[in-house]
Amino acid sequence: MVLRDRPYSELKDDLIGKKVVIWTCNTCARLCFDIGGTESAERLAAALRDDGIEVLGVLHTTASCIEKKVVEKYDKELFGQADIVLSLTCNIGALCAERSFKIKVFNPIATVGAGFIGEGRRIFICEEKNGGLAVKELSEIAEEKGLWCGPYA
């Protein structure tokens, strides 16, 4: 499960002068307060373009932790023009993207652990504790770690 590790202004500053492809996942990253997912990625692309960042495109898959699905999205022409891939995925999805796309991947998302989606789309993280599992809400972990819930734009 994932959270944002910086505000939009810092993300934008990190991308100045770069040609960017946004990569996202429509499973966990979308379900975690819409940090990722196609709609959030498209809104982020529009905001970045409005702020002068050259966004070449937005690509997505259902699960960016499945390398075959990532490889299927490879576009030689698009990635040949890009300086960097902005990954709105967990750290495993970003790693798969870097292996598959053969280009530097920047992931401003913090992966905080494995979890599940409960009733009312409440997101929980499971941690091993005292020989069992402790369960804590993702929003509580965000507050403890100084991270952010919700999309960049």
Side-chain angles (χ1 to χ4, degrees):
M1 298 299 174
V2 298
L3 296 162
R4 289 190 297 117
D5 76 353
R6 69 195 71 212
Y8 173 79
S9 60
E10 288 180 22
L11 174 67
K12 177 188 67 168
D13 290 347
D14 288 335
L15 299 172
I16 291 172
K18 295 180 174 74
K19 295 179 182 177
V20 179
V21 173
I22 298 177
W23 171 250
T24 193
C25 175
N26 280 319
T27 305
C28 298
R30 179 183 58 82
L31 295 171
C32 290
F33 306 108
D34 296 316
I35 288 169
T38 307
E39 291 178 18
S40 293
E42 292 288 356
R43 283 194 312 271
L44 177 58
L48 289 169
R49 286 178 181 123
D50 286 348
D51 285 327
I53 305 298
E54 189 172 353
V55 178
L56 302 175
V58 174
L59 297 174
H60 59 88
T61 189
T62 52
S64 63
C65 56
I66 300 173
E67 196 170 45
K68 181 178 186 244
K69 291 183 175 287
V70 179
V71 169
E72 289 171 353
K73 297 295 181 163
Y74 181 73
D75 179 325
K76 185 177 182 177
E77 184 177 328
L78 180 65
F79 288 108
Q81 298 174 49
D83 297 316
I84 195 165
V85 172
L86 172 62
S87 181
L88 301 178
T89 67
C90 69
N91 57 1
I92 301 301
L95 176 64
C96 280
E98 194 161 68
R99 284 174 46 97
S100 301
F101 301 151
K102 310 275 191 273
I103 186 172
K104 181 176 172 39
V105 171
F106 171 56
N107 190 14
I109 306 298
T111 301
V112 294
F116 63 92
I117 310 292
E119 287 188 38
R121 203 172 164 191
R122 291 173 56 206
I123 302 162
F124 297 93
I125 298 297
C126 304
E127 299 174 320
E128 287 189 42
K129 195 169 194 177
N130 302 326
L133 285 178
V135 178
K136 194 181 277 189
E137 279 204 56
L138 186 58
S139 56
E140 188 178 340
I141 291 172
E143 188 173 322
E144 289 171 4
K145 294 183 179 278
L147 300 170
W148 292 270
C149 299
Y152 276 104

